[in-house]
Amino acid sequence: MKIKTTPEDFQVEELTTLTPEKEGEHSLYHLEKKGWSTVDVLGAIRRIWRIEPWRISYGGLKDRHAVTTQFLSIQKGPLANLENQGWRLSHLGHVAEPFTSKDIAANRFHITIRNMPPGSYQGVIATLNQIRQFGLPNYFDDQRFGSLSGPGGEFIGKYLVKGDFEGALKLALA
C-alpha cells in the first residue's frame, strides 16, 4: 500500500469558523501551497514584504509533500495578495486577534491510497467508517503522519494506520 506518491495524493484543508471583518489589528490571509513547508513560505513572505517574524501568526504546520491550505494573520499586514511558484496568499480581511491553533475548527483530508493489497479494501472501508463516526485524534507535531521516523527508518504513521498504538508510542518516545 502506498500513500503520498505525489503531493496531490495528500491534501489538507484547514477549516475555521473565524469571519474576516472590514477592520481589525491583524490582516487575515488564506495560504494555498504545494511543495513548500509552512515555515519556508512564511520566511518568503517575511522577506518579500519585509515583515518582522513576531507579526505573523498561524495555527499549525502543514506538510511540504502535500497540497495544503491554511490561514494566517499578519499584524498590520498588507492589504494585498501575494503569489510565488508553489504558493498563493490571498488577503481575506481583518481580525481583532492573531490567528492561532484555537481558531482551527478542523482539518479536512483527501488521501489517495495506491497499490492496496488484494482483500484489504473491506478493512479500509470499515476503518474509514469508524473515523467518520468517531473522528480521528489530532496528534500534534511532526510525528502525526511520519515526518519523524525512527532509527530504523520506520514511520510512526505506519503504526497508527495499522492500529498498533503501542508501537507508535514507543517509536515516538524512543
Side-chain angles (χ1 to χ4, degrees):
M1 180 174 351
K2 292 185 179 184
I3 299 175
K4 289 173 60 171
T5 303
T6 70
E8 290 79 12
D9 286 353
F10 194 78
Q11 299 178 29
V12 183
E13 177 186 3
E14 190 173 85
L15 306 174
T16 186
T17 57
L18 196 61
T19 305
E21 305 289 336
K22 292 183 180 181
E23 295 182 12
E25 176 78 9
H26 303 266
S27 289
L28 183 66
Y29 301 89
H30 186 249
L31 174 63
E32 302 169 61
K33 65 180 192 60
K34 173 182 160 185
W36 286 71
S37 72
T38 301
V39 173
D40 290 342
V41 172
L42 296 179
I45 292 167
R46 285 196 329 265
R47 285 188 300 279
I48 293 167
W49 279 345
R50 293 184 168 88
I51 294 175
E52 299 88 350
W54 57 266
R55 290 176 49 201
I56 298 179
S57 183
Y58 56 96
L61 301 174
K62 299 291 184 264
D63 196 329
R64 167 191 314 261
H65 306 289
V67 175
T68 68
T69 66
Q70 66 187 107
F71 297 90
L72 62 100
S73 64
I74 301 175
Q75 185 180 27
K76 297 181 182 176
L79 309 180
N81 300 328
L82 187 59
E83 192 167 343
N84 200 336
Q85 185 176 357
W87 58 267
R88 177 181 29 228
L89 187 68
S90 303
H91 182 263
L92 301 175
H94 300 275
V95 290
E97 300 293 325
F99 187 89
T100 66
S101 60
K102 70 176 176 52
D103 297 309
I104 299 174
N107 285 298
R108 180 179 294 140
F109 294 87
H110 299 272
I111 301 171
T112 300
I113 301 172
R114 299 180 187 279
N115 301 332
M116 285 180 37
S120 64
Y121 179 78
Q122 292 302 325
V124 169
I125 295 301
T127 300
L128 289 174
N129 286 333
Q130 286 181 337
I131 291 170
R132 189 174 290 116
Q133 183 179 358
F134 300 110
L136 187 69
N138 186 2
Y139 297 103
F140 291 97
D141 221 26
D142 290 340
Q143 299 93 327
R144 191 167 49 218
F145 284 106
S147 297
L148 181 66
S149 62
E154 301 146 317
F155 288 113
I156 293 167
K158 173 183 168 185
Y159 290 89
L160 293 174
V161 169
K162 289 183 173 184
D164 181 2
F165 304 112
E166 185 175 287
L169 183 59
K170 284 180 183 176
L171 192 58
L173 297 176

